[in-house]
Amino acid sequence: MRAVQIIKAGEVRMTDMPQPSPAAGEVLLKIRYTGFCGSDLNTFLGRNPMVKLPVIPGHEIGAVVEAKGAGVPDSLRIGTPCTVNPYTACGRCSSCRNGRPNACASNRTLGVQRDGAMCDYIVVPWQKIIADEAVTSRDFCLVEPLSVGFHAVSRADVKATDTVMVIGCGMIGAGAIVGSALRGARVIAVDLDDEKFALAQQLGAHYSINSQTEDVHEKLLSLTDGKGPDVVIEAVGSAPTYRLAISEVSFTGRVVYIGYAKTEIAFDTKLFVQKELDIRGSRNALPEDFCAVTEYIKSGQCPVDKLITAIHPPQDAQMALEQWQANTGKIFRILIAF
């Protein structure tokens, strides 16, 4: 079968591999589409310390059920469109014992710590599959990245009475905007690119602030009666946005970080105590986040065509990553079609 491999920084190749077969409890999936994630781009750029090269990237998956091993439930039917929860959980670490397997200390994500789904076929345990005949294989590629944003909203315990500022209107931030809006919160989208704000509004944002051309602090004061947002969700991962979240969140507010910075960051830590803040990290997503995003896509509210920037065949994977590298702020998702 065909597979896309990132060999080293800046180099992608097509390779041929044996087609896997499902054992008991496993399902063979025919991959239709796989999305390139930001972690895949970082692997291509040589900036992903968690990856071991060469690696088959891809954990944003749109597939159909091709074959089943013994013991797979009859409810999972051949030909059904699906996606995959791409994380592993050891079941023994403190995260797993606390019911948060998304943050498993030994997690191995498809396409990062182990080979991913940018190939013709993969085999996975049937419990990892989210299947629904009402969602296309193409649209299933959007479930995992949007789920990461939905999970951050859960970590922030967003309520209908909250004002939520989402910093970064890329794919992960989009999920945070949607998840917050679905809970009835008032959402403020912050980004450097005015072109993203029309889509942010369609996703549920009520206000937008261009942090490059506007005074974020003054505009937030005017939008929140001088209090600041109750919740800030940071989906960029840079020193300025990390500090912005702390400085602008309200007293007794909640800050959730999805993005992680590549360098150390200095904070004015008196704000942690003075405001009595809840500061939380958010990693990956839980099964209920995947299900919630699937239902959102089924509702017809999701502007799927605007979230998919381009679709390329496997042989153009290197070109697709080079295009993303050259236009990082303009691309939501690039899919590879098998």
Side-chain angles (χ1 to χ4, degrees):
M1 67 174 186
R2 297 170 299 171
V4 173
Q5 278 187 320
I6 300 177
I7 304 302
K8 60 182 180 180
E11 184 177 338
V12 177
R13 75 177 179 194
M14 287 289 297
T15 188
D16 187 63
M17 304 184 72
Q19 180 177 318
S21 298
E26 294 182 335
V27 176
L28 176 70
L29 299 182
K30 174 68 182 81
I31 301 299
R32 299 296 190 195
Y33 299 90
T34 310
F36 270 129
C37 172
S39 63
D40 299 322
L41 179 61
N42 282 326
T43 298
F44 178 71
L45 297 176
R47 300 174 184 168
N48 190 345
M50 295 182 291
V51 74
K52 183 178 180 180
L53 299 175
V55 68
I56 298 172
H59 55 259
E60 300 174 357
I61 299 166
V64 295
V65 176
E66 182 82 1
K68 305 189 296 182
V72 176
D74 293 337
S75 58
L76 196 56
R77 294 189 292 272
I78 303 296
T80 305
C82 62
T83 191
V84 175
N85 182 328
Y87 325 122
T88 62
C90 71
R92 301 180 301 275
C93 70
S94 57
S95 297
C96 290
R97 293 199 309 270
N98 289 331
R100 291 157 68 178
N102 58 295
C104 175
S106 302
N107 170 62
R108 298 174 69 238
T109 299
L110 286 171
V112 185
Q113 293 92 352
R114 55 185 173 138
D115 279 337
M118 202 159 282
C119 50
D120 282 305
Y121 296 92
I122 62 168
V123 164
V124 297
W126 71 265
Q127 297 93 337
K128 290 293 186 180
I129 294 175
I130 300 94
D132 199 308
E133 294 179 352
V135 179
T136 67
S137 294
R138 186 200 70 166
D139 294 351
F140 257 129
C141 279
L142 303 178
V143 170
E144 193 275 342
L146 290 175
S147 295
V148 175
F150 270 52
H151 183 65
V153 171
S154 295
R155 291 284 292 144
D157 192 25
V158 171
K159 301 177 179 64
T161 54
D162 287 330
T163 295
V164 179
M165 177 169 75
V166 177
I167 306 175
C169 295
M171 195 67 183
I172 306 303
I177 291 170
V178 173
S180 298
L182 288 176
R183 293 188 178 210
R186 196 170 62 138
V187 183
I188 303 170
V190 178
D191 202 279
L192 299 171
D193 187 354
D194 284 333
E195 293 181 15
K196 291 182 179 176
F197 291 140
L199 180 56
Q201 184 177 11
Q202 192 171 350
L203 294 168
H206 301 85
Y207 307 98
S208 60
I209 304 175
N210 187 316
S211 58
Q212 195 166 39
T213 61
E214 298 180 86
D215 188 319
V216 177
H217 179 70
E218 290 300 322
K219 190 160 184 181
L220 283 174
L221 290 179
S222 68
L223 292 173
T224 62
D225 296 324
K227 300 172 184 176
D230 305 287
V231 174
V232 176
I233 297 176
E234 198 278 351
V236 176
S238 71
T241 54
Y242 257 64
R243 287 192 288 262
L244 180 68
I246 298 298
S247 64
E248 297 302 335
V249 72
S250 68
F251 275 65
T252 68
R254 288 99 73 198
V255 174
V256 174
Y257 290 111
I258 312 174
Y260 61 91
K262 309 304 185 291
T263 59
E264 292 184 357
I265 300 173
F267 285 98
D268 184 359
T269 55
K270 76 173 184 180
L271 295 178
F272 297 6
V273 177
Q274 188 179 35
K275 291 185 176 183
E276 198 176 48
L277 299 178
D278 289 333
I279 303 172
R280 303 171 184 174
S282 183
R283 182 182 181 191
N284 298 332
L286 287 165
E288 50 262 41
D289 301 310
F290 282 80
C291 292
V293 173
T294 300
E295 290 301 313
Y296 166 64
I297 291 176
K298 284 171 61 178
S299 73
Q301 300 176 63
C302 182
V304 289
D305 291 334
K306 294 181 180 179
L307 293 174
I308 298 171
T309 306
I311 300 176
H312 296 289
Q315 60 269 26
D316 290 345
Q318 168 128 5
M319 184 258 308
L321 285 169
E322 290 172 349
Q323 287 183 347
W324 195 4
Q325 178 185 3
N327 300 278
T328 52
K330 301 292 185 182
I331 288 174
F332 280 91
R333 272 304 173 267
I334 297 172
L335 305 186
I336 298 299
F338 283 86

